[in-house]
Each structure stands twice: as structure tokens, then as C-alpha cells.
PDB file of all heavy atoms in Angstrom:
ATOM      1  N   ALA A   1      14.611   8.502  -8.684  1.00 98.00           N
ATOM      2  CA  ALA A   1      13.767   7.471  -8.139  1.00 98.00           C
ATOM      3  C   ALA A   1      13.850   6.219  -8.993  1.00 98.00           C
ATOM      4  O   ALA A   1      14.175   6.264 -10.184  1.00 98.00           O
ATOM      5  CB  ALA A   1      12.299   7.938  -8.089  1.00 98.00           C
ATOM      6  N   TRP A   2      13.612   5.107  -8.345  1.00 98.00           N
ATOM      7  CA  TRP A   2      13.473   3.835  -9.031  1.00 98.00           C
ATOM      8  C   TRP A   2      12.010   3.391  -9.009  1.00 98.00           C
ATOM      9  O   TRP A   2      11.381   3.384  -7.934  1.00 98.00           O
ATOM     10  CB  TRP A   2      14.359   2.759  -8.373  1.00 98.00           C
ATOM     11  CG  TRP A   2      15.805   2.989  -8.595  1.00 98.00           C
ATOM     12  CD1 TRP A   2      16.674   3.642  -7.774  1.00 98.00           C
ATOM     13  CD2 TRP A   2      16.579   2.574  -9.734  1.00 98.00           C
ATOM     14  NE1 TRP A   2      17.921   3.652  -8.332  1.00 98.00           N
ATOM     15  CE2 TRP A   2      17.918   3.011  -9.528  1.00 98.00           C
ATOM     16  CE3 TRP A   2      16.306   1.850 -10.882  1.00 98.00           C
ATOM     17  CZ2 TRP A   2      18.945   2.748 -10.426  1.00 98.00           C
ATOM     18  CZ3 TRP A   2      17.329   1.614 -11.790  1.00 98.00           C
ATOM     19  CH2 TRP A   2      18.616   2.054 -11.562  1.00 98.00           C
ATOM     20  N   PHE A   3      11.528   3.048 -10.168  1.00 98.00           N
ATOM     21  CA  PHE A   3      10.197   2.447 -10.337  1.00 98.00           C
ATOM     22  C   PHE A   3      10.356   1.031 -10.872  1.00 98.00           C
ATOM     23  O   PHE A   3      11.380   0.730 -11.487  1.00 98.00           O
ATOM     24  CB  PHE A   3       9.327   3.279 -11.302  1.00 98.00           C
ATOM     25  CG  PHE A   3       8.943   4.623 -10.742  1.00 98.00           C
ATOM     26  CD1 PHE A   3       9.791   5.681 -10.835  1.00 98.00           C
ATOM     27  CD2 PHE A   3       7.697   4.798 -10.156  1.00 98.00           C
ATOM     28  CE1 PHE A   3       9.457   6.938 -10.340  1.00 98.00           C
ATOM     29  CE2 PHE A   3       7.347   6.052  -9.686  1.00 98.00           C
ATOM     30  CZ  PHE A   3       8.198   7.144  -9.740  1.00 98.00           C
ATOM     31  N   ARG A   4       9.321   0.239 -10.691  1.00 98.00           N
ATOM     32  CA  ARG A   4       9.400  -1.113 -11.231  1.00 98.00           C
ATOM     33  C   ARG A   4       8.009  -1.524 -11.724  1.00 98.00           C
ATOM     34  O   ARG A   4       7.000  -1.066 -11.223  1.00 98.00           O
ATOM     35  CB  ARG A   4       9.924  -2.145 -10.233  1.00 98.00           C
ATOM     36  CG  ARG A   4       9.022  -2.363  -9.010  1.00 98.00           C
ATOM     37  CD  ARG A   4       9.685  -3.345  -8.064  1.00 98.00           C
ATOM     38  NE  ARG A   4       8.865  -3.642  -6.929  1.00 98.00           N
ATOM     39  CZ  ARG A   4       9.224  -4.384  -5.885  1.00 98.00           C
ATOM     40  NH1 ARG A   4      10.425  -4.928  -5.871  1.00 98.00           N
ATOM     41  NH2 ARG A   4       8.379  -4.595  -4.854  1.00 98.00           N
ATOM     42  N   GLN A   5       8.011  -2.394 -12.725  1.00 98.00           N
ATOM     43  CA  GLN A   5       6.743  -2.898 -13.238  1.00 98.00           C
ATOM     44  C   GLN A   5       6.901  -4.418 -13.433  1.00 98.00           C
ATOM     45  O   GLN A   5       7.667  -4.884 -14.258  1.00 98.00           O
ATOM     46  CB  GLN A   5       6.423  -2.242 -14.568  1.00 98.00           C
ATOM     47  CG  GLN A   5       5.045  -2.619 -15.087  1.00 98.00           C
ATOM     48  CD  GLN A   5       4.560  -1.691 -16.208  1.00 98.00           C
ATOM     49  OE1 GLN A   5       5.347  -1.052 -16.856  1.00 98.00           O
ATOM     50  NE2 GLN A   5       3.251  -1.684 -16.424  1.00 98.00           N
ATOM     51  N   ALA A   6       6.130  -5.126 -12.644  1.00 97.00           N
ATOM     52  CA  ALA A   6       6.104  -6.588 -12.761  1.00 97.00           C
ATOM     53  C   ALA A   6       5.116  -6.978 -13.823  1.00 97.00           C
ATOM     54  O   ALA A   6       4.195  -6.235 -14.173  1.00 97.00           O
ATOM     55  CB  ALA A   6       5.680  -7.213 -11.423  1.00 97.00           C
ATOM     56  N   PRO A   7       5.257  -8.199 -14.398  1.00 92.00           N
ATOM     57  CA  PRO A   7       4.324  -8.639 -15.425  1.00 92.00           C
ATOM     58  C   PRO A   7       2.872  -8.558 -14.952  1.00 92.00           C
ATOM     59  O   PRO A   7       2.535  -9.081 -13.870  1.00 92.00           O
ATOM     60  CB  PRO A   7       4.768 -10.076 -15.680  1.00 92.00           C
ATOM     61  CG  PRO A   7       6.222 -10.102 -15.305  1.00 92.00           C
ATOM     62  CD  PRO A   7       6.320  -9.179 -14.129  1.00 92.00           C
ATOM     63  N   GLY A   8       2.020  -7.938 -15.732  1.00 95.00           N
ATOM     64  CA  GLY A   8       0.602  -7.830 -15.396  1.00 95.00           C
ATOM     65  C   GLY A   8       0.287  -6.833 -14.314  1.00 95.00           C
ATOM     66  O   GLY A   8      -0.877  -6.779 -13.914  1.00 95.00           O
ATOM     67  N   LYS A   9       1.253  -6.097 -13.845  1.00 96.00           N
ATOM     68  CA  LYS A   9       1.049  -5.135 -12.763  1.00 96.00           C
ATOM     69  C   LYS A   9       1.299  -3.717 -13.218  1.00 96.00           C
ATOM     70  O   LYS A   9       1.934  -3.467 -14.247  1.00 96.00           O
ATOM     71  CB  LYS A   9       2.004  -5.408 -11.602  1.00 96.00           C
ATOM     72  CG  LYS A   9       1.867  -6.828 -11.016  1.00 96.00           C
ATOM     73  CD  LYS A   9       0.700  -6.931 -10.073  1.00 96.00           C
ATOM     74  CE  LYS A   9       0.729  -8.253  -9.315  1.00 96.00           C
ATOM     75  NZ  LYS A   9      -0.349  -8.316  -8.306  1.00 96.00           N
ATOM     76  N   GLU A  10       0.726  -2.775 -12.501  1.00 97.00           N
ATOM     77  CA  GLU A  10       1.007  -1.362 -12.738  1.00 97.00           C
ATOM     78  C   GLU A  10       2.384  -1.015 -12.245  1.00 97.00           C
ATOM     79  O   GLU A  10       2.922  -1.639 -11.315  1.00 97.00           O
ATOM     80  CB  GLU A  10      -0.024  -0.475 -12.050  1.00 97.00           C
ATOM     81  CG  GLU A  10      -1.411  -0.570 -12.626  1.00 97.00           C
ATOM     82  CD  GLU A  10      -2.343   0.465 -11.999  1.00 97.00           C
ATOM     83  OE1 GLU A  10      -1.913   1.226 -11.080  1.00 97.00           O
ATOM     84  OE2 GLU A  10      -3.528   0.488 -12.414  1.00 97.00           O
ATOM     85  N   ARG A  11       2.987  -0.018 -12.859  1.00 97.00           N
ATOM     86  CA  ARG A  11       4.291   0.443 -12.408  1.00 97.00           C
ATOM     87  C   ARG A  11       4.167   1.122 -11.034  1.00 97.00           C
ATOM     88  O   ARG A  11       3.245   1.887 -10.785  1.00 97.00           O
ATOM     89  CB  ARG A  11       4.856   1.452 -13.407  1.00 97.00           C
ATOM     90  CG  ARG A  11       6.286   1.846 -13.129  1.00 97.00           C
ATOM     91  CD  ARG A  11       6.938   2.494 -14.337  1.00 97.00           C
ATOM     92  NE  ARG A  11       6.178   3.640 -14.841  1.00 97.00           N
ATOM     93  CZ  ARG A  11       6.517   4.306 -15.954  1.00 97.00           C
ATOM     94  NH1 ARG A  11       7.576   3.941 -16.667  1.00 97.00           N
ATOM     95  NH2 ARG A  11       5.772   5.312 -16.322  1.00 97.00           N
ATOM     96  N   GLU A  12       5.084   0.793 -10.138  1.00 97.00           N
ATOM     97  CA  GLU A  12       5.073   1.326  -8.803  1.00 97.00           C
ATOM     98  C   GLU A  12       6.364   1.935  -8.450  1.00 97.00           C
ATOM     99  O   GLU A  12       7.435   1.496  -8.902  1.00 97.00           O
ATOM    100  CB  GLU A  12       4.701   0.235  -7.791  1.00 97.00           C
ATOM    101  CG  GLU A  12       5.774  -0.831  -7.677  1.00 97.00           C
ATOM    102  CD  GLU A  12       5.544  -1.803  -6.514  1.00 97.00           C
ATOM    103  OE1 GLU A  12       4.701  -1.492  -5.634  1.00 97.00           O
ATOM    104  OE2 GLU A  12       6.190  -2.865  -6.429  1.00 97.00           O
ATOM    105  N   GLY A  13       6.342   2.962  -7.591  1.00 98.00           N
ATOM    106  CA  GLY A  13       7.530   3.551  -7.075  1.00 98.00           C
ATOM    107  C   GLY A  13       8.176   2.606  -6.071  1.00 98.00           C
ATOM    108  O   GLY A  13       7.497   1.919  -5.305  1.00 98.00           O
ATOM    109  N   VAL A  14       9.478   2.591  -6.060  1.00 98.00           N
ATOM    110  CA  VAL A  14      10.260   1.765  -5.142  1.00 98.00           C
ATOM    111  C   VAL A  14      10.988   2.542  -4.077  1.00 98.00           C
ATOM    112  O   VAL A  14      10.739   2.420  -2.880  1.00 98.00           O
ATOM    113  CB  VAL A  14      11.229   0.845  -5.928  1.00 98.00           C
ATOM    114  CG1 VAL A  14      12.010  -0.080  -4.955  1.00 98.00           C
ATOM    115  CG2 VAL A  14      10.515   0.002  -6.978  1.00 98.00           C
ATOM    116  N   LEU A  15      11.881   3.421  -4.572  1.00 98.00           N
ATOM    117  CA  LEU A  15      12.777   4.122  -3.664  1.00 98.00           C
ATOM    118  C   LEU A  15      13.322   5.352  -4.378  1.00 98.00           C
ATOM    119  O   LEU A  15      13.522   5.330  -5.599  1.00 98.00           O
ATOM    120  CB  LEU A  15      13.928   3.189  -3.243  1.00 98.00           C
ATOM    121  CG  LEU A  15      14.943   3.627  -2.200  1.00 98.00           C
ATOM    122  CD1 LEU A  15      14.219   3.976  -0.895  1.00 98.00           C
ATOM    123  CD2 LEU A  15      15.931   2.524  -1.973  1.00 98.00           C
ATOM    124  N   CYS A  16      13.586   6.414  -3.608  1.00 98.00           N
ATOM    125  CA  CYS A  16      14.044   7.646  -4.204  1.00 98.00           C
ATOM    126  C   CYS A  16      15.102   8.302  -3.355  1.00 98.00           C
ATOM    127  O   CYS A  16      15.091   8.134  -2.122  1.00 98.00           O
ATOM    128  CB  CYS A  16      12.867   8.618  -4.398  1.00 98.00           C
ATOM    129  SG  CYS A  16      13.301  10.195  -5.208  1.00 98.00           S
ATOM    130  N   ILE A  17      16.009   9.020  -3.966  1.00 97.00           N
ATOM    131  CA  ILE A  17      16.988   9.831  -3.251  1.00 97.00           C
ATOM    132  C   ILE A  17      16.899  11.243  -3.813  1.00 97.00           C
ATOM    133  O   ILE A  17      16.950  11.459  -5.028  1.00 97.00           O
ATOM    134  CB  ILE A  17      18.394   9.265  -3.360  1.00 97.00           C
ATOM    135  CG1 ILE A  17      19.366  10.071  -2.510  1.00 97.00           C
ATOM    136  CG2 ILE A  17      18.904   9.148  -4.784  1.00 97.00           C
ATOM    137  CD1 ILE A  17      20.745   9.398  -2.319  1.00 97.00           C
ATOM    138  N   SER A  18      16.715  12.206  -2.894  1.00 97.00           N
ATOM    139  CA  SER A  18      16.566  13.613  -3.321  1.00 97.00           C
ATOM    140  C   SER A  18      17.947  14.223  -3.580  1.00 97.00           C
ATOM    141  O   SER A  18      18.989  13.643  -3.261  1.00 97.00           O
ATOM    142  CB  SER A  18      15.807  14.406  -2.280  1.00 97.00           C
ATOM    143  OG  SER A  18      16.591  14.711  -1.183  1.00 97.00           O
ATOM    144  N   SER A  19      17.933  15.479  -4.051  1.00 95.00           N
ATOM    145  CA  SER A  19      19.199  16.203  -4.247  1.00 95.00           C
ATOM    146  C   SER A  19      19.954  16.440  -2.949  1.00 95.00           C
ATOM    147  O   SER A  19      21.153  16.617  -2.968  1.00 95.00           O
ATOM    148  CB  SER A  19      18.931  17.532  -4.960  1.00 95.00           C
ATOM    149  OG  SER A  19      18.141  18.384  -4.143  1.00 95.00           O
ATOM    150  N   SER A  20      19.217  16.454  -1.825  1.00 95.00           N
ATOM    151  CA  SER A  20      19.839  16.625  -0.494  1.00 95.00           C
ATOM    152  C   SER A  20      20.047  15.303   0.198  1.00 95.00           C
ATOM    153  O   SER A  20      20.266  15.292   1.414  1.00 95.00           O
ATOM    154  CB  SER A  20      19.012  17.567   0.328  1.00 95.00           C
ATOM    155  OG  SER A  20      17.707  17.087   0.515  1.00 95.00           O
ATOM    156  N   ASP A  21      19.907  14.211  -0.489  1.00 96.00           N
ATOM    157  CA  ASP A  21      20.197  12.848  -0.011  1.00 96.00           C
ATOM    158  C   ASP A  21      19.133  12.335   0.969  1.00 96.00           C
ATOM    159  O   ASP A  21      19.444  11.446   1.762  1.00 96.00           O
ATOM    160  CB  ASP A  21      21.564  12.756   0.604  1.00 96.00           C
ATOM    161  CG  ASP A  21      22.689  12.747  -0.423  1.00 96.00           C
ATOM    162  OD1 ASP A  21      22.425  12.474  -1.598  1.00 96.00           O
ATOM    163  OD2 ASP A  21      23.835  13.066  -0.039  1.00 96.00           O
ATOM    164  N   VAL A  22      17.918  12.891   0.921  1.00 97.00           N
ATOM    165  CA  VAL A  22      16.836  12.325   1.661  1.00 97.00           C
ATOM    166  C   VAL A  22      16.323  11.111   0.955  1.00 97.00           C
ATOM    167  O   VAL A  22      15.979  11.153  -0.230  1.00 97.00           O
ATOM    168  CB  VAL A  22      15.727  13.366   1.919  1.00 97.00           C
ATOM    169  CG1 VAL A  22      14.538  12.729   2.605  1.00 97.00           C
ATOM    170  CG2 VAL A  22      16.251  14.530   2.687  1.00 97.00           C
ATOM    171  N   ARG A  23      16.216   9.990   1.633  1.00 97.00           N
ATOM    172  CA  ARG A  23      15.718   8.747   1.081  1.00 97.00           C
ATOM    173  C   ARG A  23      14.235   8.565   1.404  1.00 97.00           C
ATOM    174  O   ARG A  23      13.807   8.850   2.502  1.00 97.00           O
ATOM    175  CB  ARG A  23      16.478   7.538   1.587  1.00 97.00           C
ATOM    176  CG  ARG A  23      17.717   7.197   0.855  1.00 97.00           C
ATOM    177  CD  ARG A  23      18.910   8.041   1.238  1.00 97.00           C
ATOM    178  NE  ARG A  23      20.187   7.423   0.857  1.00 97.00           N
ATOM    179  CZ  ARG A  23      21.356   8.008   0.942  1.00 97.00           C
ATOM    180  NH1 ARG A  23      21.454   9.251   1.406  1.00 97.00           N
ATOM    181  NH2 ARG A  23      22.441   7.341   0.558  1.00 97.00           N
ATOM    182  N   THR A  24      13.477   8.105   0.405  1.00 98.00           N
ATOM    183  CA  THR A  24      12.066   7.888   0.596  1.00 98.00           C
ATOM    184  C   THR A  24      11.731   6.526  -0.021  1.00 98.00           C
ATOM    185  O   THR A  24      12.013   6.244  -1.155  1.00 98.00           O
ATOM    186  CB  THR A  24      11.219   8.932  -0.092  1.00 98.00           C
ATOM    187  OG1 THR A  24      11.543  10.237   0.391  1.00 98.00           O
ATOM    188  CG2 THR A  24       9.737   8.719   0.183  1.00 98.00           C
ATOM    189  N   TYR A  25      11.083   5.679   0.790  1.00 97.00           N
ATOM    190  CA  TYR A  25      10.614   4.389   0.360  1.00 97.00           C
ATOM    191  C   TYR A  25       9.167   4.517  -0.064  1.00 97.00           C
ATOM    192  O   TYR A  25       8.345   5.035   0.670  1.00 97.00           O
ATOM    193  CB  TYR A  25      10.748   3.347   1.465  1.00 97.00           C
ATOM    194  CG  TYR A  25      12.164   2.883   1.686  1.00 97.00           C
ATOM    195  CD1 TYR A  25      12.956   3.535   2.606  1.00 97.00           C
ATOM    196  CD2 TYR A  25      12.668   1.766   1.017  1.00 97.00           C
ATOM    197  CE1 TYR A  25      14.262   3.119   2.815  1.00 97.00           C
ATOM    198  CE2 TYR A  25      13.962   1.336   1.254  1.00 97.00           C
ATOM    199  CZ  TYR A  25      14.767   2.025   2.166  1.00 97.00           C
ATOM    200  OH  TYR A  25      16.051   1.602   2.387  1.00 97.00           O
ATOM    201  N   TYR A  26       8.857   3.971  -1.245  1.00 97.00           N
ATOM    202  CA  TYR A  26       7.474   3.936  -1.725  1.00 97.00           C
ATOM    203  C   TYR A  26       6.867   2.555  -1.689  1.00 97.00           C
ATOM    204  O   TYR A  26       5.656   2.409  -1.777  1.00 97.00           O
ATOM    205  CB  TYR A  26       7.427   4.541  -3.134  1.00 97.00           C
ATOM    206  CG  TYR A  26       7.819   5.981  -3.192  1.00 97.00           C
ATOM    207  CD1 TYR A  26       9.006   6.362  -3.773  1.00 97.00           C
ATOM    208  CD2 TYR A  26       7.028   6.957  -2.616  1.00 97.00           C
ATOM    209  CE1 TYR A  26       9.394   7.680  -3.793  1.00 97.00           C
ATOM    210  CE2 TYR A  26       7.421   8.306  -2.591  1.00 97.00           C
ATOM    211  CZ  TYR A  26       8.628   8.632  -3.229  1.00 97.00           C
ATOM    212  OH  TYR A  26       8.995   9.962  -3.237  1.00 97.00           O
ATOM    213  N   ALA A  27       7.698   1.557  -1.601  1.00 95.00           N
ATOM    214  CA  ALA A  27       7.258   0.171  -1.496  1.00 95.00           C
ATOM    215  C   ALA A  27       7.715  -0.397  -0.183  1.00 95.00           C
ATOM    216  O   ALA A  27       8.907  -0.620   0.070  1.00 95.00           O
ATOM    217  CB  ALA A  27       7.818  -0.648  -2.681  1.00 95.00           C
ATOM    218  N   ASP A  28       6.747  -0.679   0.695  1.00 96.00           N
ATOM    219  CA  ASP A  28       7.073  -1.199   2.049  1.00 96.00           C
ATOM    220  C   ASP A  28       7.808  -2.533   1.945  1.00 96.00           C
ATOM    221  O   ASP A  28       8.601  -2.837   2.821  1.00 96.00           O
ATOM    222  CB  ASP A  28       5.815  -1.351   2.867  1.00 96.00           C
ATOM    223  CG  ASP A  28       5.204  -0.039   3.296  1.00 96.00           C
ATOM    224  OD1 ASP A  28       5.899   1.000   3.281  1.00 96.00           O
ATOM    225  OD2 ASP A  28       4.017  -0.019   3.694  1.00 96.00           O
ATOM    226  N   SER A  29       7.523  -3.273   0.901  1.00 97.00           N
ATOM    227  CA  SER A  29       8.100  -4.606   0.786  1.00 97.00           C
ATOM    228  C   SER A  29       9.594  -4.608   0.613  1.00 97.00           C
ATOM    229  O   SER A  29      10.240  -5.650   0.846  1.00 97.00           O
ATOM    230  CB  SER A  29       7.435  -5.362  -0.364  1.00 97.00           C
ATOM    231  OG  SER A  29       7.702  -4.711  -1.610  1.00 97.00           O
ATOM    232  N   VAL A  30      10.208  -3.496   0.233  1.00 97.00           N
ATOM    233  CA  VAL A  30      11.649  -3.472   0.004  1.00 97.00           C
ATOM    234  C   VAL A  30      12.412  -2.854   1.157  1.00 97.00           C
ATOM    235  O   VAL A  30      13.665  -2.856   1.138  1.00 97.00           O
ATOM    236  CB  VAL A  30      11.986  -2.750  -1.313  1.00 97.00           C
ATOM    237  CG1 VAL A  30      11.159  -3.318  -2.446  1.00 97.00           C
ATOM    238  CG2 VAL A  30      11.843  -1.233  -1.163  1.00 97.00           C
ATOM    239  N   LYS A  31      11.735  -2.347   2.184  1.00 97.00           N
ATOM    240  CA  LYS A  31      12.438  -1.742   3.298  1.00 97.00           C
ATOM    241  C   LYS A  31      13.281  -2.785   3.996  1.00 97.00           C
ATOM    242  O   LYS A  31      12.836  -3.895   4.249  1.00 97.00           O
ATOM    243  CB  LYS A  31      11.432  -1.130   4.295  1.00 97.00           C
ATOM    244  CG  LYS A  31      10.714   0.112   3.780  1.00 97.00           C
ATOM    245  CD  LYS A  31       9.713   0.657   4.788  1.00 97.00           C
ATOM    246  CE  LYS A  31       9.062   1.909   4.269  1.00 97.00           C
ATOM    247  NZ  LYS A  31       8.085   2.449   5.230  1.00 97.00           N
ATOM    248  N   GLY A  32      14.505  -2.411   4.328  1.00 97.00           N
ATOM    249  CA  GLY A  32      15.417  -3.336   4.930  1.00 97.00           C
ATOM    250  C   GLY A  32      16.174  -4.215   3.967  1.00 97.00           C
ATOM    251  O   GLY A  32      17.099  -4.915   4.367  1.00 97.00           O
ATOM    252  N   ARG A  33      15.821  -4.169   2.732  1.00 98.00           N
ATOM    253  CA  ARG A  33      16.460  -4.986   1.695  1.00 98.00           C
ATOM    254  C   ARG A  33      17.077  -4.181   0.583  1.00 98.00           C
ATOM    255  O   ARG A  33      18.147  -4.548   0.044  1.00 98.00           O
ATOM    256  CB  ARG A  33      15.428  -5.993   1.061  1.00 98.00           C
ATOM    257  CG  ARG A  33      14.824  -6.932   2.103  1.00 98.00           C
ATOM    258  CD  ARG A  33      13.992  -8.012   1.415  1.00 98.00           C
ATOM    259  NE  ARG A  33      12.891  -7.459   0.686  1.00 98.00           N
ATOM    260  CZ  ARG A  33      12.687  -7.564  -0.643  1.00 98.00           C
ATOM    261  NH1 ARG A  33      13.582  -8.221  -1.372  1.00 98.00           N
ATOM    262  NH2 ARG A  33      11.630  -7.032  -1.226  1.00 98.00           N
ATOM    263  N   PHE A  34      16.430  -3.087   0.201  1.00 98.00           N
ATOM    264  CA  PHE A  34      16.948  -2.237  -0.883  1.00 98.00           C
ATOM    265  C   PHE A  34      17.518  -0.939  -0.304  1.00 98.00           C
ATOM    266  O   PHE A  34      16.941  -0.356   0.635  1.00 98.00           O
ATOM    267  CB  PHE A  34      15.836  -1.857  -1.885  1.00 98.00           C
ATOM    268  CG  PHE A  34      15.322  -2.966  -2.732  1.00 98.00           C
ATOM    269  CD1 PHE A  34      15.621  -4.303  -2.437  1.00 98.00           C
ATOM    270  CD2 PHE A  34      14.538  -2.676  -3.804  1.00 98.00           C
ATOM    271  CE1 PHE A  34      15.133  -5.304  -3.271  1.00 98.00           C
ATOM    272  CE2 PHE A  34      14.025  -3.684  -4.643  1.00 98.00           C
ATOM    273  CZ  PHE A  34      14.375  -4.988  -4.363  1.00 98.00           C
ATOM    274  N   THR A  35      18.621  -0.482  -0.870  1.00 98.00           N
ATOM    275  CA  THR A  35      19.183   0.793  -0.530  1.00 98.00           C
ATOM    276  C   THR A  35      19.535   1.579  -1.764  1.00 98.00           C
ATOM    277  O   THR A  35      19.874   0.989  -2.802  1.00 98.00           O
ATOM    278  CB  THR A  35      20.420   0.654   0.369  1.00 98.00           C
ATOM    279  OG1 THR A  35      21.403  -0.132  -0.291  1.00 98.00           O
ATOM    280  CG2 THR A  35      20.057   0.048   1.721  1.00 98.00           C
ATOM    281  N   ILE A  36      19.447   2.897  -1.649  1.00 98.00           N
ATOM    282  CA  ILE A  36      19.784   3.749  -2.766  1.00 98.00           C
ATOM    283  C   ILE A  36      20.950   4.657  -2.330  1.00 98.00           C
ATOM    284  O   ILE A  36      20.994   5.107  -1.165  1.00 98.00           O
ATOM    285  CB  ILE A  36      18.555   4.563  -3.247  1.00 98.00           C
ATOM    286  CG1 ILE A  36      18.816   5.287  -4.554  1.00 98.00           C
ATOM    287  CG2 ILE A  36      18.082   5.553  -2.183  1.00 98.00           C
ATOM    288  CD1 ILE A  36      17.562   5.850  -5.201  1.00 98.00           C
ATOM    289  N   SER A  37      21.836   4.952  -3.278  1.00 97.00           N
ATOM    290  CA  SER A  37      22.953   5.803  -2.968  1.00 97.00           C
ATOM    291  C   SER A  37      23.318   6.540  -4.228  1.00 97.00           C
ATOM    292  O   SER A  37      22.930   6.191  -5.357  1.00 97.00           O
ATOM    293  CB  SER A  37      24.153   4.988  -2.457  1.00 97.00           C
ATOM    294  OG  SER A  37      24.604   4.051  -3.415  1.00 97.00           O
ATOM    295  N   ARG A  38      24.087   7.614  -4.085  1.00 95.00           N
ATOM    296  CA  ARG A  38      24.558   8.376  -5.214  1.00 95.00           C
ATOM    297  C   ARG A  38      26.042   8.682  -5.134  1.00 95.00           C
ATOM    298  O   ARG A  38      26.586   8.780  -4.039  1.00 95.00           O
ATOM    299  CB  ARG A  38      23.746   9.711  -5.317  1.00 95.00           C
ATOM    300  CG  ARG A  38      24.108  10.733  -4.250  1.00 95.00           C
ATOM    301  CD  ARG A  38      23.107  11.888  -4.162  1.00 95.00           C
ATOM    302  NE  ARG A  38      22.748  12.426  -5.454  1.00 95.00           N
ATOM    303  CZ  ARG A  38      21.574  12.879  -5.802  1.00 95.00           C
ATOM    304  NH1 ARG A  38      20.545  12.776  -4.938  1.00 95.00           N
ATOM    305  NH2 ARG A  38      21.367  13.389  -7.007  1.00 95.00           N
ATOM    306  N   ASP A  39      26.639   8.802  -6.254  1.00 94.00           N
ATOM    307  CA  ASP A  39      28.026   9.227  -6.380  1.00 94.00           C
ATOM    308  C   ASP A  39      28.025  10.380  -7.398  1.00 94.00           C
ATOM    309  O   ASP A  39      28.019  10.173  -8.604  1.00 94.00           O
ATOM    310  CB  ASP A  39      28.924   8.069  -6.860  1.00 94.00           C
ATOM    311  CG  ASP A  39      30.379   8.455  -6.877  1.00 94.00           C
ATOM    312  OD1 ASP A  39      30.743   9.637  -6.942  1.00 94.00           O
ATOM    313  OD2 ASP A  39      31.229   7.510  -6.857  1.00 94.00           O
ATOM    314  N   ASN A  40      28.008  11.603  -6.884  1.00 89.00           N
ATOM    315  CA  ASN A  40      27.870  12.759  -7.764  1.00 89.00           C
ATOM    316  C   ASN A  40      29.108  12.890  -8.692  1.00 89.00           C
ATOM    317  O   ASN A  40      28.982  13.382  -9.794  1.00 89.00           O
ATOM    318  CB  ASN A  40      27.713  14.009  -6.924  1.00 89.00           C
ATOM    319  CG  ASN A  40      26.357  14.101  -6.253  1.00 89.00           C
ATOM    320  OD1 ASN A  40      25.417  13.402  -6.682  1.00 89.00           O
ATOM    321  ND2 ASN A  40      26.232  14.960  -5.289  1.00 89.00           N
TER     322      ASN A  40
END
């Protein structure tokens, strides 16, 4: 998973990829803009 912390803000989840390649978005603001991928 990717988390991010902006200045003065709490750390928030952004996006995750599971071992079976299921993607989960935790921040609605990045949908359509951020993608996650893996190269095992």
C-alpha cells in the first residue's frame, strides 16, 4: 500500500495492491489519476 502525509495532516491511505493483484483505492481524490502496479 501507499500512504501519504501532507504538511499538518494525518497520514492517509492512498492505494493498495494485494498479493492477488486486487487494487483498492483509499483516497477518492486520486481515482483516475493514480495507478499501482507490481513487477514480481
Side-chain angles (χ1 to χ4, degrees):
W2 290 93
F3 292 82
R4 67 184 182 184
Q5 187 166 20
K9 301 281 189 176
E10 292 186 358
R11 187 163 57 185
E12 65 170 347
V14 181
L15 187 58
C16 182
I17 185 168
S18 76
S19 64
S20 58
D21 287 341
V22 176
R23 274 80 162 171
T24 303
Y25 286 88
Y26 297 109
D28 289 342
S29 62
V30 309
K31 290 181 179 178
R33 300 188 297 118
F34 289 15
T35 57
I36 191 169
S37 61
R38 73 194 310 144
D39 186 338
N40 289 343

